[in-house]
Amino acid sequence: MNAPVRIDEVVPKARANDTAAPATMVLTVAVRLQPTRQQHRDLERVSEQQRILYNAALEERIECYRKTGKTLNDIAQSKSLTIIRADDPAFAGVQRRIQRATLIRLQRAFQAFFRRAKAGAGAQSGFPRFKGREHWDGFGFDAPLQIAFDGRRLRFAGVHGGIRVSRHDASRLPQPLVAGAGGNWKGIHFKRTRTGWAATFQVEVPIAAGRGGMGRGAVGVDWGTSVLAALSTGQIEDNPRPREAASRELRRRERKLARAQRGSKRRMKARRRKQAVEAAIANRRRNRLDKLSKMLVTNYRTVAIEDIAVKNMMGAERPGEDLPEHVKRRRNREALDAAPYKLRQMLAYKATLNRADLILVDPKNTTHECFWCGLPHFKELADAEHVCTTPGLYFGKRAPRKVNAARVILKRALASAPAPERASKALSGIAKGPDDTAGRGRAGGGKPPNGGSALRRPGNTSGRRKAAADGSRSG
Ligand SMILES: [Zn+2]
């Protein structure tokens, strides 16, 4: 864990009748813990107890279903918990809120299973599993009421003393949390990591009142595998493919792990070594996406990307493509390396935090459509260049294929956001300029911070319509 504070996930906080901007959003922020030996043992003990509870509750559900055909829920199991706690001092010694959180975790696993089963997945797919030690990562509180945090130390019943939070990580926590203003953190989870213990806070943070970024104008982004991203400005971000870079080392360590005898010390060691490589890969990938998404939302006011469902992103084919198997396989591997879903997620919350707009556009044919003339010019996979072949004004204009796609994406986004002046300004910059060095799509600024989440799909733009129209007049 060399990059301690991570914002993993965002839950934009929706309010009733809310067309204005949500004033806050919930982020998940991780900090490293520095437990004493005693505390380390305490954490392990609480965690292990939760694992046993989870497995027991799972067994109880399965048994109950076998005997009665009925499904238990976490409320019913909470009653059993009361009985266990009365019986067993070890259980009574750990906070009930921790145990409740464990039961809720099982409940969520079942909910996810039922959801998938309904959606038509196989009968057994995703059925909650009994958790072995290697597959249990920690515990949480179902509400952070009985846990105290003064900015340096975390205290709760069942653990001796206060657990120290890494000073460096603590300094990077959102301010109100450090100040102990109360009520702005919603949850906490204690997690065993590769190197020790960490805590992840769910913190409610305010969204900047003005624009966080200094960005102007709009940019289209074509996410890809051969390159990580191409921008409508002509800028190309290459794909470092950390997994590919580390693949030899990874394979070597996987082989070692496979050879080691189950349950042996050597095997445990081999597993740790393999996990270390995987963690390094994940870190490198995340850093890259972090920087890219941050750059986009701070340099531009509007960012447009394709609206591709996660599943399709993972799949190799774009609409309108028919690829041979081996190309699909390679593309899938590369796509995983580019972690598209992560990029989109990061863009979504960073756009919200910085009050930039993220517009999702229809991905159909973005590769083949010509930015200049609007007609499709079909390309082979090998064609790296886009050339306009329609006789007339744009005949012979060329751009890298990805850059053309990014521009088509931008064009669609701006067409969907009815701010005609802004749109034409941004696009004319690209159309008039020399081929691919052109297109610094700068549009007039002065748009007031608009409402709603930053994540938008065309067609749901009523809030933005007004703000954008106001902006283009003043800009
Ligand atoms: Zn053309």
Side-chain angles (χ1 to χ4, degrees), residues 369-377 386-390 394:
E369 187 178 312
C370 175
F371 164 74
W372 287 289
C373 70
L375 297 172
H377 307 318
H386 169 88
V387 187
C388 184
T389 50
T390 309
Y394 302 117

Side-chain angles (χ1 to χ4, degrees), residues 27 29-30 42 67 74 108 153 173 178 187 240 383 408 410 431 461:
L27 300 178
V29 185
D42 291 341
K67 284 181 187 152
D74 62 316
R108 294 220 174 103
R153 282 167 197 276
L173 277 168
V178 176
D383 297 343
V408 172
L410 174 63
T461 51

Side-chain angles (χ1 to χ4, degrees), residues 93-139:
V94 170
Q95 286 202 33
R96 195 189 167 92
R97 288 202 173 273
I98 295 176
Q99 292 157 346
R100 279 276 305 152
T102 303
L103 293 179
I104 290 170
R105 185 169 169 180
L106 179 64
Q107 173 77 357
R108 294 220 174 103
F110 268 97
Q111 279 166 350
F113 165 67
F114 287 132
R115 205 167 42 235
R116 277 192 297 266
K118 230 183 221 168
Q124 278 302 305
S125 109
F127 189 84
R129 291 175 184 215
F130 290 100
K131 300 281 191 183
R133 275 167 208 267
E134 291 293 334
H135 296 277
W136 185 256
D137 67 344
F139 60 93

Side-chain angles (χ1 to χ4, degrees), residues 4 11-12 28 31 105 133 168 171 198 201 210 219 239-240 325 367 406 417 454 472 474:
V11 191
T28 303
V31 295
R105 185 169 169 180
R133 275 167 208 267
H168 177 253
S171 73
F201 291 90
V219 69
N239 184 357
E325 264 318 302
T367 310
S472 61
S474 63

